[in-house]
């Protein structure tokens, strides 16, 4: 039985351990440009088997929060290059999470103050994060407009271009498509948010169409072995729901199997919350089984409120990788701490979103504060 500290392959990526830094939104990229402080933060965590960046907008329309980074402008790509160079200098591996927020945005953040886009013109009952005059605050998301079918190829192209530039210009080892947490691709998947009557709505096949088109485009650009996908089958994050998540996600993973993805990354339960949701049961083992039965060889990555014991248990049950969010945020040397069964720093919620080095690059390592 492999341990968390044994190497594993995820497609073309060779990982020295099975501990992953989960994607974490930190709102420290003014004008969507990654900063030297971000390079320091990610490099501090290069000991992970794999680092996944915070969600990164593939276009200006894809942005939904203040000071989140992008991956579509030359200055943004230069900023990310400094991040990947810093991680590689520490012998780490890093993939970028490709993000389109869909309806989870605000007119203040959209090009020309336009409405955010969505599968259907239904507002999400959720909040976004704005920064005005240096002061951050949460605000309700704006009323979205439904995408016209003619706009969809452009969105697929935006994912494709972002993936290409991520590898060729910014120097990432791979990309992770953000198909989770109630953002655009998840909005299309789930029938609580998708009420379309065209080829992108209605049946499971139709609702999965956009995500599958994006996955095929990205794989066509950078290869399956450098492409991961994050899903959150039953998470209520950002006000999404589906009547038949088991059938939906088993269909999705079966269709994905021929693409040879490096990994599928599954948020179990409510993102950042309970792992079990009473009225939203889901059989994750069955979804993994469906993927394997369809011939997939990629890694299965699990996430949400894991500790060491639960992570070891997940490996016993067939997972290959475990992504840690809050623990990685607060423990730059998480691999070493887990290996030594050392105590963990507690994350400081007040500094999760926005700000500078405090609560970002100043969490102590064991070496800095011996036991
Ligand atoms: C927390 C705050 C803002 C965005 C996600 C990208 O849930 C996010 C996110 C998380 O995937």
């Amino acid at each position: 039985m492999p341990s968390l500290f044994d190497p594993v392959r995820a497609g073309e990526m060779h990982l020295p351990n099975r501990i992953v830094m989960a994607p974490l939104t930190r709102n420290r990229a003014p004008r969507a440009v990654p900063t030297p402080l971000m390079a320091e933060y990610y490099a501090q965590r290069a000991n992970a088997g794999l680092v996944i960046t915070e969600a990164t907008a593939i276009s200006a329309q894809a942005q939904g929060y203040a000071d989140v980074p992008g991956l579509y402008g030359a200055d943004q790509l230069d900023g990310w290059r400094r991040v990947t160079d810093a991680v590689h200098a520490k012998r780490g591996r890093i993939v970028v999470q490709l993000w389109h927020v869909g309806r989870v945005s605000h007119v203040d953040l959209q090009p020309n103050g336009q409405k955010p886009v969505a599968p259907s013109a239904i507002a999400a009952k959720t909040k976004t994060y704005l920064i005005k005059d240096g002061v951050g605050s949460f605000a309700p998301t704006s009323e979205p407009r439904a995408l016209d079918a003619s706009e969809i190829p452009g969105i697929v192209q935006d994912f494709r271009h972002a993936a290409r530039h991520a590898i060729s210009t910014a120097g990432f080892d791979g990309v992770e498509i953000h198909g989770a947490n109630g953002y655009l691709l998840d909005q299309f998947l789930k029938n609580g948010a998708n009420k379309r009557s065209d080829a992108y709505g209605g049946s499971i096949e139709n609702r999965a169409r956009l995500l599958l088109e994006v996955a095929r485009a990205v794989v066509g650009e950078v290869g399956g072995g450098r492409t991961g996908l994050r899903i959150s089958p039953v998470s209520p994050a950002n006000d999404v729901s589906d009547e038949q998540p088991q059938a939906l996600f088993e269909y999705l993973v079966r269709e994905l199997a021929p693409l040879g993805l490096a990994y599928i990354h599954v948020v179990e339960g409510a993102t950042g919350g309970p792992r079990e949701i009473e009225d939203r049961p889901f059989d994750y083992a069955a979804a993994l089984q469906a993927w394997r039965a369809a011939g997939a060889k990629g890694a299965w990555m699990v996430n949400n409120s894991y500790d060491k014991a639960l992570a070891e248990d997940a490996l016993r049950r067939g997972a290959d990788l475990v992504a840690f969010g809050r623990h990685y945020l607060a423990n730059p040397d998480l691999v070493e701490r887990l290996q030594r069964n050392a105590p963990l720093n507690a994350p400081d919620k007040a500094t999760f979103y926005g700000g500078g080095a405090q609560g970002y690059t100043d969490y102590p390592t064991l070496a800095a504060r011996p036991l």
Side-chain angles (χ1 to χ4, degrees):
M1 180 54 52
S3 96
L4 285 168
F5 312 101
D6 289 331
V8 69
R9 254 186 68 188
E12 288 175 32
M13 297 178 281
H14 295 264
L15 316 183
N17 63 64
R18 291 151 190 260
I19 297 164
V20 175
M21 179 182 172
L24 294 162
T25 289
R26 306 303 306 272
N27 308 78
R28 282 166 169 85
R31 299 176 324 286
V33 178
T35 65
L37 189 66
M38 287 168 61
E40 183 184 343
Y41 160 78
Y42 284 111
Q44 285 175 344
R45 289 159 181 76
N47 51 72
L50 183 66
V51 173
I52 305 170
T53 71
E54 63 207 273
T56 298
I58 56 162
S59 66
Q61 181 196 72
Q63 190 186 339
Y65 302 81
D67 291 1
V68 294
L71 191 65
Y72 50 91
D75 46 353
Q76 299 165 359
L77 292 164
D78 285 351
W80 278 124
R81 182 87 216 188
R82 283 193 283 274
V83 173
T84 64
D85 283 348
V87 170
H88 291 148
K90 293 274 197 71
R91 305 179 63 80
R93 294 134 305 276
I94 182 167
V95 301
V96 62
Q97 196 189 43
L98 304 180
W99 193 27
H100 192 310
V101 296
R103 66 181 184 170
V104 184
S105 188
H106 193 278
V107 289
D108 285 1
L109 299 165
Q110 287 291 305
N112 308 315
Q114 292 173 68
K115 287 183 173 182
V117 301
S120 304
I122 306 166
K125 292 184 196 66
T126 187
K127 293 202 162 143
T128 180
Y129 180 75
L130 304 175
I131 300 177
K132 274 194 184 139
D133 304 322
V135 182
S137 65
F138 291 91
T141 55
S142 303
E143 188 84 34
R145 68 175 179 85
L147 279 164
D148 191 82
S150 66
E151 296 174 274
I152 289 181
I155 289 180
V156 176
Q157 276 294 84
D158 288 341
F159 273 98
R160 180 198 296 275
H161 288 149
R164 176 193 304 163
H165 292 132
I167 305 294
S168 66
T169 311
F172 284 103
D173 300 286
V175 300
E176 174 176 293
I177 299 166
H178 195 342
N181 296 347
Y183 297 109
L184 184 71
L185 300 176
D186 203 25
Q187 290 159 29
F188 270 83
L189 284 176
K190 293 178 179 166
N191 60 13
N194 183 344
K195 306 290 183 192
R196 299 177 73 91
S197 53
D198 64 4
Y200 292 89
S203 64
I204 283 176
E205 289 79 357
N206 283 357
R207 283 182 278 122
R209 192 177 308 282
L210 177 59
L211 178 40
L212 289 169
E213 287 181 356
V214 166
R216 291 184 190 116
V218 168
V219 167
E221 198 62 48
V222 305
R226 299 200 176 281
T227 304
L229 168 69
R230 195 177 207 212
I231 55 175
S232 56
V234 292
S235 180
N238 292 313
D239 194 26
V240 287
S241 60
D242 192 78
E243 281 160 9
Q244 281 190 289
Q246 197 74 41
L248 171 62
F249 283 89
E250 289 187 17
Y251 170 79
L252 185 71
V253 299
R254 277 198 307 273
E255 291 296 306
L256 289 166
L259 298 187
L261 295 183
Y263 66 85
I264 288 186
H265 179 181
V266 189
V267 181
E268 297 165 333
T271 313
R275 295 179 41 77
E276 303 280 347
I277 311 172
E278 205 178 323
D279 57 343
R280 296 185 182 209
F282 193 85
D283 185 343
Y284 297 96
L288 170 54
Q289 167 60 24
W291 197 45
R292 292 281 179 243
K297 300 278 186 283
W300 189 258
M301 183 190 300
V302 295
N303 169 250
N304 201 12
S305 302
Y306 274 86
D307 60 16
K308 185 179 181 181
L310 203 55
E312 287 172 334
D313 195 46
L315 295 188
R316 272 191 290 277
R317 286 180 291 108
D320 304 293
L321 294 163
V322 182
F324 294 85
R326 286 160 288 183
H327 283 322
Y328 237 121
L329 184 155
N331 295 274
D333 55 347
L334 185 64
V335 173
E336 188 189 344
R337 285 180 189 250
L338 292 178
Q339 202 151 21
R340 291 169 56 177
N341 294 313
L344 301 179
N345 300 321
D348 168 32
K349 280 201 172 128
T351 49
F352 277 6
Y353 308 115
Q358 191 198 341
Y360 191 54
T361 49
D362 63 354
Y363 284 103
T365 60
L366 286 174
R369 198 169 61 179
L371 293 181

